[in-house]
């Protein structure tokens, strides 16, 4: 039986079988979702869910092989142009586009001004919420699921064009021309560097938590972007040097709305085509090496972010710093004033994409080898790298969805008081964040569903790319086997990472006794959490043989408060009075790079 595909879509039989398979393996009564405090147990061991998800991906590959065997270019249907309908054409009218551009630049200026001049409490300043929640998370979802509107509302591009017109029409001088030709060898490496620095700010450094620092960094990046546009040309720099334009273009390839390109790379002004999801990721021309590295970098930084929240990460850091050579090196950096944690995580963030790139090239080499074709491993990796994009989108969705729903609510009060000055412009400044807007069970369903469906799309992209590349059905099948094993492995790894808070950790940092002796390894922390009534107090005493960090904290929605916070102390004897009836946690952290420290503590609950 042969089936000539018209586009990337699944037949009803595949959907029915896949749905039955997923429902069978994913029927659960509850879970504790990523970053949620509530807990309820899985009725089956985690391995059942991991093996079920991996098997679902393998089953999707089998369905692809059985029902999509040949590629016939004549069988592809033309994609409808939405602009043929007058309703959609009106959205591109200047009366719509110009206000949209003005709004984008105004919001961009508000973020910078708010970050510099507003409150430096991140939840009371519009800059962190708009950058990290709405733009980085929410807008990425929109681009992947709807279409890439970033070229239309890109404030850097809009401001540059405004300046272009200013010089051309008002100063009566020649319009600025690119000063240099962009070097071919440079390719996407500037964008790769900028994206890695962005990931470092998000995942390692604590600088971007400060609204003023975040606004300053935006100004620095904006200046470099406008300089690159002036030197090499707007379109060239956006395509090669501007990290977020390329990132959004990758996610936009998955979306159903497509803005076709002309031969010189410009958007076709009279076309917005409607296509199947992931159709734009199927290619016949191998990507450049730098483009492969960029795609792997996106996926590896997302994985790095997830790993940092697992107990495995803490154990790995403790194991690494106990290595004598590394311990001595970090200790010397500590004496020079560097934070050992930031140094170590920066090194790992640099190493992790290199390892992931090496793994991807290894499987690409295996794919080229077992296929029996004449394609080189480099070209093989460039052909199939876009199959990783649906995986990145799925992980982005699974990892940040609850964060968007909860932290995104901050936009409501911030719309009335963007600078944290006590304003109430629209009467919404008193709105509170509702952390119960979505439950842990729902998050677990969304996590499993998005990860599995994302990998199924990835298998489809790889299979249709192989159909376009190879003429033999045997070569198509053999070439996909190593990629399939890689995708199954990453499916299991992704779900394991996201499930760590769900199944709990075998290494618990909670203390049981109100008085005891502790030993803390380098970078290890331990907690004692207690429920206190209003005006109830604790007497806390401890002494340590080495300097230690100590704090008492509690959570108010998304905000963590620190009534007590001490650094590099050996002794403490104080009384803590609860200002509200809730749970308070006492935490000890060992920042030393030497051997384990010993600590004796005693906690007494007063006026019970």
């Amino acid at each position: 039986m042969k089936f000539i595909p018209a586009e990337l879509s699944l037949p009803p039989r595949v959907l029915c079988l896949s749905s039955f398979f997923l429902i069978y393996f994913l029927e659960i009564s509850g879970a504790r979702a990523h970053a949620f405090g509530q807990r309820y147990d899985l009725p089956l061991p985690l391995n059942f869910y991991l093996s079920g998800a991996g098997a679902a991906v393998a089953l999707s590959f089998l369905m692809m092989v059985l029902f999509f065997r040949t590629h016939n270019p004549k069988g592809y249907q033309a994609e409808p142009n939405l602009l043929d309908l007058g309703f959609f054409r009106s959205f591109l009218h200047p009366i719509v586009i110009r206000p949209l551009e003005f709004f984008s630049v105004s919001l961009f200026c508000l973020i910078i001004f708010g970050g510099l001049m507003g409150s430096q409490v991140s939840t009371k300043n519009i800059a962190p919420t708009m950058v990290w929640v709405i733009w980085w998370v929410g807008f990425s979802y929109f681009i992947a699921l709807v279409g890439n509107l970033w070229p239309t509302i890109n404030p850097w591009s809009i401001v540059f064009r405004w300046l272009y017109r200013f010089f051309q029409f008002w100063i009566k001088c020649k319009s600025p021309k690119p000063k240099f030709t962009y070097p071919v060898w440079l390719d996407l490496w500037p964008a790769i560097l900028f994206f890695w620095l962005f990931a470092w700010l998000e995942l390692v450094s604590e600088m971007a938590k400060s609204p003023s620092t975040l606004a300053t960094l935006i100004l620095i990046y904006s200046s470099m972007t406008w300089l690159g546009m002036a030197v090499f040309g707007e379109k060239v720099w956006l395509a090669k040097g501007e990290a977020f334009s390329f990132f959004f273009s990758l996610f936009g390839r998955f979306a159903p709305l497509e803005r076709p390109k002309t031969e010189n790379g410009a958007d076709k002004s009279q076309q917005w085509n409607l296509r199947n999801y992931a159709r734009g990721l199927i290619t016949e021309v191998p990507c450049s090496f730098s483009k492969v590295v960029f795609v792997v970098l996106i996926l590896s930084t997302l994985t790095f972010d997830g790993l940092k929240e697992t107990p495995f990460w803490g154990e790995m850091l403790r194991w690494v710093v106990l290595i004598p050579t590394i311990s001595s090196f970090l200790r010397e950096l500590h004496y020079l004033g560097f934070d050992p944690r930031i140094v170590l995580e920066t090194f790992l963030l640099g190493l992790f994409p290199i390892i992931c790139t090496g793994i991807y090239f290894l499987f690409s080499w295996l794919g080229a080898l077992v296929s029996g074709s004449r394609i080189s491993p480099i070209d093989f990796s460039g052909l199939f790298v876009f199959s990783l994009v649906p995986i990145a989108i799925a992980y982005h969705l699974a990892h940040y969805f609850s964060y968007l729903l909860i932290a995104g609510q901050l936009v409501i009060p911030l719309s009335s008081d963007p600078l944290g000055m006590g304003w109430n412009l629209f009467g919404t400044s008193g709105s509170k964040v509702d952390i119960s807007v979505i439950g842990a069970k729902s998050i677990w369903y969304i996590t499993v569903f998005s990860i599995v469906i994302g990998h199924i799309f990835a298998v489809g992209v790889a299979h249709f790319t192989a159909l376009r590349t190879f003429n033999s059905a045997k070569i198509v099948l053999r070439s996909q086997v190593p990629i399939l094993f890689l995708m199954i492995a990453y499916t299991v790894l992704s779900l394991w990472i996201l499930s760590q808070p769900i199944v709990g950790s075998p290494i618990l940092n909670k203390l049981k006794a109100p008085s005891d002796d502790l030993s803390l390894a380098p970078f290890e922390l331990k907690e004692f959490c207690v429920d206190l009534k209003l005006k109830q107090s604790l007497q806390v005493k401890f002494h340590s043989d080495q300097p230690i960090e100590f704090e008492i904290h509690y959570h108010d929605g998304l905000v963590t408060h620190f009534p007590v916070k001490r650094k590099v102390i050996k002794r403490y004897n104080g009384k803590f009075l609860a200002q509200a009836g809730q749970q308070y946690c006492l935490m000890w952290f060992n920042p030393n790079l030497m051997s384990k420290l010993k600590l004796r503590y005693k906690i007494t609950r007063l006026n019970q």
Side-chain angles (χ1 to χ4, degrees):
M1 175 180 178
K2 291 188 178 183
F3 188 92
I4 300 177
E7 56 261 329
L8 180 57
S9 58
L10 296 179
R13 284 171 291 182
V14 181
L15 291 175
C16 292
L17 287 172
S18 300
S19 300
F20 172 79
F21 189 90
L22 290 175
I23 292 171
Y24 175 79
F25 276 99
L26 303 180
E27 180 59 37
I28 60 178
S29 64
R32 177 181 151 201
H34 213 48
F36 274 76
Q38 65 265 37
R39 176 189 176 88
Y40 45 97
D41 295 327
L42 298 172
L44 298 174
L46 177 64
N47 291 340
F48 279 66
Y49 300 98
L50 300 183
S51 59
V57 176
L59 178 64
S60 69
F61 173 75
L62 178 62
M63 296 298 100
M64 292 286 177
V65 172
L66 291 177
F67 295 105
F68 299 94
R69 298 184 180 183
T70 61
H71 166 68
N72 182 359
K74 296 181 180 179
Y76 281 84
Q77 300 174 354
E79 297 169 340
N81 180 14
L82 294 180
L83 297 186
D84 291 338
L85 304 175
F87 173 75
F88 289 99
R89 192 181 305 116
S90 62
F91 285 105
L92 293 184
H93 195 278
I95 200 172
V96 175
I97 296 298
R98 297 297 176 261
L100 189 62
E101 292 178 344
F102 180 78
F103 175 78
S104 175
V105 174
S106 300
L107 184 59
F108 177 75
C109 295
L110 176 62
I111 291 171
I112 296 175
F113 180 80
L116 295 174
M117 306 303 296
S119 170
Q120 293 307 298
V121 178
S122 59
T123 55
K124 295 182 179 180
N125 192 302
I126 196 171
T129 300
M130 288 302 303
V131 171
W132 298 115
V133 183
I134 304 303
W135 179 71
W136 178 237
V137 178
F139 190 62
S140 297
Y141 291 169
F142 179 86
I143 286 178
L145 300 178
V146 180
N148 184 15
L149 298 184
W150 178 244
T152 303
I153 64 172
N154 183 349
W156 295 305
S157 181
I158 295 170
V159 171
F160 184 81
R161 289 197 299 268
W162 286 357
L163 292 174
Y164 184 101
R165 294 165 187 164
F166 175 80
F167 282 105
Q168 189 172 19
F169 296 107
W170 290 96
I171 302 183
K172 304 300 182 182
C173 68
K174 294 182 179 180
S175 58
K177 298 293 183 180
K179 302 296 183 182
F180 299 96
T181 301
Y182 191 86
V184 176
W185 59 268
L186 201 54
D187 206 11
L188 286 171
W189 296 110
I192 292 173
L193 175 61
F194 287 135
F195 189 85
W196 185 89
L197 291 173
F198 174 78
W200 180 81
L201 286 170
E202 180 192 12
L203 306 178
V204 177
S205 173
E206 298 183 353
M207 292 191 303
K209 294 181 179 179
S210 167
S212 60
T213 305
L214 178 61
T216 303
L217 292 171
I218 293 174
L219 282 175
I220 294 174
Y221 183 76
S222 301
S223 301
M224 298 179 69
T225 300
W226 289 323
L227 178 62
M229 291 178 181
V231 173
F232 298 111
E234 177 190 359
K235 289 184 173 57
V236 172
W237 186 255
L238 289 177
K240 300 292 186 179
E242 208 280 285
F244 304 107
S245 292
F246 186 75
F247 172 83
F248 289 138
S249 72
L250 283 175
F251 273 37
R253 282 176 172 266
F254 182 83
L257 290 181
E258 174 200 17
R259 193 77 178 270
K261 302 287 186 180
T262 61
E263 293 183 359
N264 60 2
D267 292 330
K268 291 184 178 180
S269 59
Q270 297 301 318
Q271 278 191 251
W272 268 104
N273 293 342
L274 183 64
R275 62 188 178 186
N276 285 327
Y277 277 105
R279 173 73 178 274
L281 295 170
I282 303 172
T283 183
E284 299 178 4
V285 180
C287 299
S288 64
F289 175 73
S290 64
K291 189 172 291 188
V292 173
V293 172
F294 197 113
V295 175
V296 177
L297 176 63
I298 294 172
L299 193 58
S300 62
T301 53
L302 288 170
T303 308
F304 181 90
D305 187 16
L307 277 175
K308 281 191 61 181
E309 299 179 6
T310 64
F312 167 79
W313 182 261
E315 290 301 307
M316 184 189 68
L317 287 184
R318 286 192 283 276
W319 176 79
V320 169
V321 298
L322 289 177
I323 299 175
T325 304
I326 296 178
S327 178
S328 299
F329 175 70
L330 291 176
R331 185 169 60 251
E332 293 298 325
L333 291 177
H334 182 63
Y335 294 152
L336 295 175
F338 294 95
D339 187 331
R341 180 194 64 82
I342 292 180
V343 172
L344 188 58
E345 290 189 354
T346 299
F347 172 75
L348 293 174
L349 181 61
L351 181 64
F352 201 71
I354 295 175
I355 294 175
C356 292
T357 303
I359 293 174
Y360 175 69
F361 274 106
L362 172 63
F363 279 86
S364 297
W365 174 77
L366 289 174
L369 179 66
V370 301
S371 69
S373 63
R374 296 181 179 180
I375 188 172
S376 69
I378 297 296
D379 287 342
F380 190 96
S381 66
L383 273 171
F384 294 97
V385 71
F386 283 158
S387 64
L388 302 181
V389 175
I391 301 176
I393 293 172
Y395 196 94
H396 195 80
L397 176 65
H399 187 64
Y400 293 118
F401 187 67
S402 61
Y403 174 67
L404 175 65
L405 290 184
I406 297 174
Q409 297 176 54
L410 290 171
V411 172
I412 299 174
L414 287 172
S415 62
S416 289
D417 188 16
L419 306 184
M421 298 296 186
W423 302 342
N424 194 9
L425 300 177
F426 305 107
T428 60
S429 62
S431 177
K432 302 296 183 182
V433 173
D434 180 11
I435 61 174
S436 64
V437 66
I438 188 169
K441 183 177 181 179
S442 300
I443 290 297
W444 176 239
Y445 273 115
I446 293 171
T447 296
V448 176
F449 181 80
S450 61
I451 291 295
V452 173
I453 294 301
H455 282 78
I456 290 176
F457 269 107
V459 169
V461 170
H463 183 70
F464 277 81
T465 300
L467 287 178
R468 288 191 176 191
T469 304
F470 307 114
N471 295 323
S472 169
K474 292 183 178 180
I475 295 179
V476 170
L477 177 62
R478 291 197 299 260
S479 67
Q480 295 307 290
V481 173
I483 298 294
L484 174 65
F485 277 105
L486 178 62
M487 290 179 179
I488 292 175
Y490 193 77
T491 302
V492 175
L493 175 63
S494 301
L495 280 180
W496 177 83
I497 290 174
L498 293 171
S499 70
Q500 286 305 287
I502 297 170
V503 300
S505 168
I507 303 172
L508 299 179
N509 288 325
K510 306 292 184 182
L511 304 180
K512 300 297 184 182
S515 62
D516 202 353
D517 294 327
L518 298 179
S519 63
L520 280 79
F523 291 147
E524 185 176 11
L525 63 86
K526 291 189 177 180
E527 287 186 332
F528 183 95
C529 296
V530 57
D531 293 321
L532 295 178
K533 300 177 181 178
L534 176 64
K535 301 301 181 181
Q536 193 174 9
S537 57
L538 287 179
Q539 182 72 36
V540 183
K541 298 180 181 179
F542 68 83
H543 65 270
S544 168
D545 62 350
Q546 295 184 46
I548 193 171
E549 294 183 6
F550 171 71
E551 68 182 41
I552 300 178
H553 67 264
Y554 67 93
H555 301 281
D556 180 12
L558 295 176
V559 183
T560 303
H561 298 276
F562 300 92
V564 177
K565 194 166 188 177
R566 302 287 188 270
K567 290 191 175 183
V568 292
I569 61 173
K570 289 187 176 182
R571 293 180 178 272
Y572 183 84
N573 186 356
K575 185 183 295 184
F576 171 72
L577 181 66
Q579 299 299 319
Q582 59 184 19
Q583 186 181 75
Y584 294 84
C585 291
L586 292 69
M587 189 179 76
W588 294 271
F589 174 71
N590 179 12
N592 302 286
L593 299 174
M594 304 298 290
S595 59
K596 294 182 179 181
L597 63 80
K598 297 184 180 298
L599 178 143
R600 173 170 291 181
Y601 73 92
K602 183 177 182 180
I603 302 171
T604 306
R605 191 195 300 257
L606 305 176
N607 57 337
Q608 297 186 14

